[in-house]
């Protein structure tokens, strides 16, 4: 890395990673213009974050190209013509068994599996490969297709979920229709689950390959269809993720609309005093304190453009059309050409925006409201971390009773209680508050450390009651050490024995959530059984701060999810297509999601995901057209009676009922019967996911699933039950 940094002329940080001079709005920038960083080159990162950063960095690099993406909207993708696409020819099957190093071959006898496959009828070639997904192996498969004139290919390797597109693409480049490729999963279903039974695992692998060969012989080539993609984009949500995604799209010459249900942009970040890491204020009208990983002591007020104002300026410069106080009421169409109905909350006439090529959903999340938890709303001086942030922004550091400490007056500590509303797997009590989510909210520990350091600079005593400290972000561990050095104390609690907030007398509260001051008792102390000390501790407190997690915007998620047909996770957030292979993608083509709409995360992660969503949508638009999946349901209109069961069944809105001329027969030939009409179902291939639910539900048998025909499934079952295995 040091050698590479020297060649590139960019700096490294104290840990030897590529230095990011401004790690929030420019988290993927190096110290040299035009050089961007992603993945573990910038610091430790897992797979989903690395892939999201890579997409966002690619879009940043695209800034330096001479042509706008919108100018390329008519670009056509040329593919090599398929020369061996015919499925009705005599099958000539090639079988390739992957060893995957020792991942498969360490358990399964791959040579025996390949030898047995070679004895199957219509198999003209069978061999093993060390890594079938490698470039060398892909070229080998293509050579064999040409030499042996293969018109079917079976690959026994890893899961088709991740690897089938690789082999389809390789075979298509060799001139074979990509839907004449079949896979047997002998890793997940054999070597992984039967690691201690190599003989049985080998027999099972042989059976799976035999079934795959039987199905492959009955596969039919499917034609490829394309839809044009309009160079327009829509972003739903005006928080920092939505603003960043919209600005990135518009900056590439894509006409972009941003719809925000509130009266102003910025979301939760606009309510923060200061953010960490970096020098940015969260919003332009607040004065905050810089907190970084290298210094403690001394207060340097930072003013100027904050995150929200800078993003607003970018929206103006790039020409994004912002619609405030507006909601998306309906979305019609499919990838490449959505029509969106937007309604103003003030009662204005709905407007329709047509020709939307793709959509980014960035509706954000909301802080957990800990009603009745740890004395919240029962004690005047029990507040949330967001309420403390507001007091830090306005400079009103009272003690929950409206008074400031007099000179020399000894008050209790600021007690932070972590994981409030997060990591709670217990079902809510009847009538009690719902959990913010079952998982870690990811941002809370860093926020507590930032706030604790700010309060320490004001002379406050700080104690943090924690379940686990999870300062996983790059540089956040150093922030934890600074907090320890600054005198912040940490006491661990057991999740089965939570801290208890004990009340005292009464005193007036300050205004909270627009309410007028009223009389409430005050919290006097926090009591905790500390496992490491083996005894009970009672801590006098000035203020109790609840570090609350993030929870989904339940009503908005339900409404937008229903409109766009996006599934939700068990925590109530939108679900990605795949956390590793398709982060920020949804199962609906042309619809992406980012930020806390997908789950709790910090500001840097949200912005990186926003950049990734913009990159994927920009790539879709730049191609000018979208290659649709050919594995869809199809309707035999001569059998369909227009009952509408398929329409009611499909969660993606693919089937629809349409009127067609009534047909009769004259001398055995179909003829139109005057003006008579009848209803039949038609499938929108751009919306169909090929799940087959409508096929199973159709009472007349008018629907069938391409690539999963009855005879193909029957062939698999017969092969599995046949004798003749190893």
């Amino acid at each position: 890395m040091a050698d590479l940094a020297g060649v590139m002329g960019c700096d490294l940080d104290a840990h030897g990673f590529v230095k990011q001079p401004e790690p929030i709005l420019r988290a993927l920038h190096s110290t040299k213009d035009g050089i961007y960083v992603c993945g573990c080159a910038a610091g430790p990162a897992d797979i989903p974050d690395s892939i999201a950063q890579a997409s966002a960095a690619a879009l940043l690099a695209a800034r330096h190209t001479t042509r706008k993406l919108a100018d390329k909207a008519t670009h056509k993708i040329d593919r090599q013509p398929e020369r061996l696409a015919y499925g009705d020819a005599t099958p000539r099957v090639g079988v390739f068994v992957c060893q995957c190093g020792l991942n498969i071959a360490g358990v399964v006898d791959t040579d025996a599996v390949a030898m047995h496959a070679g004895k199957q009828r219509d198999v003209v070639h069978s061999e093993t490969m060390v890594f079938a997904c490698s470039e060398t192996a892909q070229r080998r498969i293509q050579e064999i297709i040409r030499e042996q004139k293969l018109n079917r290919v079976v690959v026994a390797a890893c899961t088709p979920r991740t690897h089938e597109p690789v082999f389809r693409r390789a075979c298509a480049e060799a001139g074979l229709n990509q839907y004449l490729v079949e896979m047997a999963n002998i890793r997940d279903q054999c070597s992984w689950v039967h690691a201690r039974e190599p003989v049985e695992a080998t027999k099972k692998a042989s059976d799976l390959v035999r079934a795959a060969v039987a199905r492959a012989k009955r596969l039919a080539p499917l034609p490829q269809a394309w839809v044009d993609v309009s160079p327009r984009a829509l972003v739903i949500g005006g928080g920092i993720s939505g603003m960043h995604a919209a600005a990135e799209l518009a900056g590439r010459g894509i006409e972009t609309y941003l719809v925000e249900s509130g009266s102003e942009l910025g979301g939760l970040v606009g309510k923060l005093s200061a953010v960490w890491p970096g020098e940015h204020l969260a919003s332009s009208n607040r004065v905050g304190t810089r907190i970084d990983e290298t210094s403690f002591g001394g207060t340097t007020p930072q003013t100027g453009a904050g995150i929200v104002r800078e993003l607003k300026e970018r929206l103006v410069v790039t020409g994004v059309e912002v619609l405030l106080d507006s909601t998306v009421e309906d979305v019609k169409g499919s990838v490449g050409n959505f029509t969106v109905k937007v309604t103003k909350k003030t009662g204005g006439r709905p407007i329709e925006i047509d020709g939307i090529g793709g959509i980014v959903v960035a509706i954000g999340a909301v802080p957990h409201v800990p009603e009745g938890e740890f004395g919240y709303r029962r004690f005047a001086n029990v507040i949330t971390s967001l309420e403390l942030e507001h007091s830090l922004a306005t400079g009103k550091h009272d003690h929950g009773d409206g008074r400031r400490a007099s000179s020399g007056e000894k008050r209790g500590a600021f007690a932070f209680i972590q994981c409030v509303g997060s990591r709670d797997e217990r079902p809510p009590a009847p009538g009690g508050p719902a959990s913010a989510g079952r998982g870690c909210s990811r941002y809370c520990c860093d926020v507590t450390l930032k706030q604790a350091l700010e309060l320490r600079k004001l002379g406050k005593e700080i104690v943090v009651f924690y379940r686990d400290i999870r300062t996983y972000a790059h540089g956040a561990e150093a922030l934890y050490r600074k907090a320890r050095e600054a005198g912040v104390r940490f006491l661990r609690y057991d999740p089965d024995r939570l801290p208890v907030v004990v009340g005292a007398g009464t005193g007036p509260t300050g205004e909270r959530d627009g309410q007028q001051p009223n009389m409430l008792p005050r919290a006097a102390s926090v009591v905790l059984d500390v496992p490491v000390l083996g005894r009970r501790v009672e801590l006098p407190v000035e203020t109790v701060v609840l570090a609350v997690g993030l929870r989904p915007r339940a009503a908005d998620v339900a409404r937008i999810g229903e409109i766009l047909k996006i599934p939700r996770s068990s925590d109530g957030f939108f679900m990605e297509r795949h956390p590793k292979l398709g982060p920020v993608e949804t199962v609906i083509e042309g619809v992406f999601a980012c930020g806390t709409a997908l789950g709790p995360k910090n500001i840097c992660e949200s912005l990186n995901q926003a950049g990734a969503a913009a990159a994927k949508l920009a790539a879709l638009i730049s191609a000018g057209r979208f290659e649709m999946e050919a594995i869809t349901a199809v309707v035999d209109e001569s059998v369909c009676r227009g009952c509408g069961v398929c329409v009611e069944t499909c969660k993606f809105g693919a089937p629809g009922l349409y009127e067609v001329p009534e047909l009769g027969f004259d001398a055995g030939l179909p003829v139109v019967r005057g003006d008579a009409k009848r209803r039949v179902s038609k499938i929108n291939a751009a919306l169909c996911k090929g799940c087959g639910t409508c096929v199973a539900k159709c009472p007349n048998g008018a629907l069938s699933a391409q690539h999963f025909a009855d005879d193909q499934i029957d062939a698999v079952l017969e092969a599995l039950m046949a004798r003749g295995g190893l």
Side-chain angles (χ1 to χ4, degrees):
M1 183 62 78
D3 292 341
L4 182 60
V7 171
M8 296 189 299
C10 60
D11 299 335
L12 301 181
D13 63 16
H15 304 286
F17 297 103
V18 177
K19 185 176 182 179
Q20 302 153 286
E22 204 293 272
I24 296 183
L25 281 177
R26 295 166 184 82
L28 305 180
H29 292 243
S30 72
T31 54
K32 186 171 182 178
D33 290 341
I35 295 181
Y36 304 98
V37 59
C38 61
C40 294
D46 62 3
I47 294 175
D49 290 337
S50 296
I51 293 179
Q53 291 173 16
S55 297
L59 191 60
L60 290 172
R63 288 178 175 178
H64 305 282
T65 58
T66 56
R67 298 175 62 191
K68 297 289 187 181
L69 293 180
D71 296 335
K72 300 181 181 179
T74 58
H75 171 66
K76 301 300 181 185
I77 300 174
D78 295 324
R79 300 186 63 171
Q80 184 176 350
E82 294 166 347
R83 300 184 302 277
L84 304 169
Y86 304 101
D88 55 353
T90 301
R92 294 182 59 82
V93 184
V95 177
F96 303 90
V97 181
C98 180
Q99 297 175 348
C100 199
L102 293 178
N103 203 10
I104 294 175
V107 176
V108 175
D109 186 345
T110 53
D111 290 333
V113 173
M115 182 182 66
H116 176 69
K119 298 177 180 179
Q120 303 299 312
R121 182 179 178 181
D122 298 322
V123 174
V124 298
H125 181 86
S126 179
E127 68 173 88
T128 60
M129 293 180 159
V130 179
F131 291 102
C133 60
S134 67
E135 184 177 350
T136 302
Q138 297 290 293
R139 289 197 298 267
R140 169 67 178 167
I141 292 174
Q142 293 171 344
E143 291 172 1
I144 297 299
I145 289 174
R146 298 185 183 103
E147 291 174 3
Q148 298 292 333
K149 296 182 173 54
L150 302 182
N151 56 17
R152 304 290 192 283
V153 169
V154 172
V155 181
C158 302
T159 170
R161 186 176 186 182
T162 57
H163 286 65
E164 191 171 52
V166 175
F167 297 111
R168 281 185 178 178
R169 183 168 57 248
C171 292
E173 291 173 356
L176 185 68
N177 185 286
Q178 63 175 317
Y179 296 102
L180 297 178
V181 178
E182 177 67 7
M183 284 195 69
N185 185 357
I186 64 171
R187 182 195 66 177
D188 301 39
Q189 298 176 1
C190 296
S191 65
W192 277 6
V193 296
H194 306 299
R196 297 181 180 181
E197 303 166 310
V199 175
E200 289 79 4
T202 301
K203 290 181 179 179
K204 183 177 179 182
S206 179
D207 290 342
L208 292 179
V209 172
R210 185 173 68 253
V213 170
R215 183 172 187 271
K217 290 192 290 185
R218 288 164 177 78
L219 293 178
L222 300 180
Q224 196 59 58
W226 302 79
V227 293
D228 292 331
V229 178
S230 174
R232 277 181 166 185
L234 175 78
V235 179
I236 305 175
I240 59 168
S241 297
M243 296 167 72
H244 184 57
E248 289 292 310
L249 287 164
R252 305 302 175 270
I254 299 170
E255 185 179 350
T256 305
Y257 297 83
L258 175 61
V259 178
E260 164 58 34
S261 61
S263 58
E264 61 179 18
L265 299 172
L268 285 176
V269 174
K271 301 176 182 179
L272 307 181
S273 63
V275 296
W276 181 90
E279 308 220 11
H280 268 286
L281 296 178
S283 60
S284 60
N285 60 349
R286 290 173 169 81
V287 176
T289 303
R290 178 186 177 189
I291 302 292
D292 63 30
E293 61 188 77
T294 61
S295 64
F296 175 76
T299 300
T300 305
Q302 301 292 325
T303 59
I307 291 176
V308 174
R309 192 175 78 177
E310 183 168 341
L311 287 172
K312 285 181 180 178
E313 291 171 353
R314 288 180 58 197
L315 294 178
V316 174
V317 170
T318 55
V320 175
E321 183 167 342
V322 179
L323 304 174
L324 296 176
D325 288 316
S326 302
T327 57
V328 173
E329 295 295 334
D330 194 20
V331 176
K332 300 293 186 184
S334 56
V335 56
N337 188 25
F338 292 102
T339 297
V340 182
K341 180 180 178 182
V342 180
T343 303
K344 277 275 188 180
K345 286 185 176 180
T346 54
R349 293 185 59 186
I351 62 172
E352 280 196 353
I353 308 172
D354 58 7
I356 296 294
I359 298 171
V360 176
V361 180
I363 63 173
V366 293
H368 175 62
V369 180
E371 294 285 358
E373 298 180 64
F374 302 103
Y376 185 70
R377 297 201 192 280
R378 291 194 295 111
F379 298 127
N381 54 339
V382 177
I383 62 176
T384 66
S385 48
L386 189 63
E387 291 167 341
L388 174 61
E389 194 70 27
H390 177 70
S391 72
L392 292 171
T394 57
K396 297 178 180 178
H397 311 298
D398 60 38
H399 305 288
D401 56 5
R403 298 186 298 107
R404 293 182 180 276
S406 60
S407 178
E409 181 183 355
K410 181 67 175 176
R411 302 300 298 259
F414 267 71
F416 287 82
I417 300 179
Q418 300 301 108
C419 296
V420 178
S422 298
R423 304 180 65 194
D424 188 359
E425 298 180 1
R426 299 169 301 175
S435 171
R438 295 182 181 275
C440 172
S441 288
R442 298 168 67 91
Y443 81 104
C444 321
C445 288
D446 293 351
V447 167
T448 290
L449 295 176
K450 177 188 79 75
Q451 292 177 336
L453 284 171
E454 291 186 71
L455 290 169
R456 284 294 292 138
K457 291 178 180 180
L458 298 172
K460 305 294 185 181
E461 292 295 324
I462 310 296
V463 177
V464 178
F465 294 90
Y466 70 98
R467 176 175 174 179
D468 297 291
I469 294 294
R470 293 184 167 182
T471 51
Y472 69 94
H474 185 43
E477 185 70 14
L479 190 69
Y480 169 70
R481 293 194 182 100
K482 291 298 179 183
R484 294 292 300 266
E485 293 169 4
V488 177
R489 290 176 288 168
F490 294 83
L491 290 176
R492 190 178 188 277
Y493 68 82
D494 190 297
D496 294 326
R497 307 186 72 176
L498 300 176
V500 177
V501 179
V502 179
T506 60
T509 67
E511 291 186 9
R512 183 184 301 163
D513 298 334
Q515 299 176 2
Q516 295 298 320
N518 51 65
M519 300 297 291
L520 285 177
R522 296 182 61 253
S525 61
V526 175
V527 177
L528 174 68
D529 291 327
V530 182
V532 70
L533 298 179
R535 64 184 179 87
R536 175 166 295 185
V537 171
E538 183 170 0
L539 175 77
V541 294
E542 172 184 329
T543 301
V544 177
V545 182
L546 307 182
V548 293
L550 289 176
R551 64 182 305 165
R553 296 180 178 272
D556 291 335
V557 169
R559 185 176 59 83
I560 297 296
E562 180 64 27
I563 292 173
L564 294 175
K565 311 302 181 186
I566 309 175
R568 286 164 277 174
S569 66
S570 59
D571 288 349
F573 294 95
F574 290 124
M575 185 181 294
E576 296 165 296
R577 181 177 65 83
H578 191 284
K580 292 181 175 64
L581 305 175
V584 310
E585 299 176 23
T586 71
V587 296
I588 305 302
E589 302 294 352
V591 178
F592 306 89
C594 62
T596 53
L598 291 172
K601 53 184 59 70
N602 62 35
I603 293 174
C604 293
E605 293 167 334
S606 296
L607 292 175
N608 287 339
Q609 280 199 338
K616 290 179 179 291
L617 179 48
L620 174 67
I621 289 176
S622 70
R625 60 179 185 172
F626 174 74
E627 181 181 3
M628 293 190 298
E629 176 62 61
I631 302 176
T632 62
V634 292
V635 180
D636 183 348
E637 294 185 10
S638 65
V639 179
C640 179
R641 66 184 186 186
C643 64
V645 171
C646 57
V647 177
E648 299 171 357
T649 301
C650 183
K651 295 183 178 181
F652 304 103
L657 295 178
Y658 301 87
E659 287 190 342
V660 298
E662 183 70 60
L663 295 178
F665 291 90
D666 185 3
L669 298 176
V671 294
V672 177
R673 291 181 176 175
D675 295 331
K677 300 287 185 180
R678 67 187 183 96
R679 294 198 314 171
V680 297
S681 174
K682 293 180 181 292
I683 303 295
N684 183 338
L687 294 176
C688 182
K689 298 302 172 185
C691 66
T693 306
C694 60
V695 178
K697 285 281 189 177
C698 180
N700 257 33
L703 282 155
S704 60
Q706 296 191 117
H707 202 62
F708 290 95
D710 289 348
D711 66 324
Q712 296 166 0
I713 297 173
D714 290 343
V716 170
L717 296 176
E718 290 172 0
L720 287 174
M721 291 185 289
R723 296 181 179 273
L726 286 178

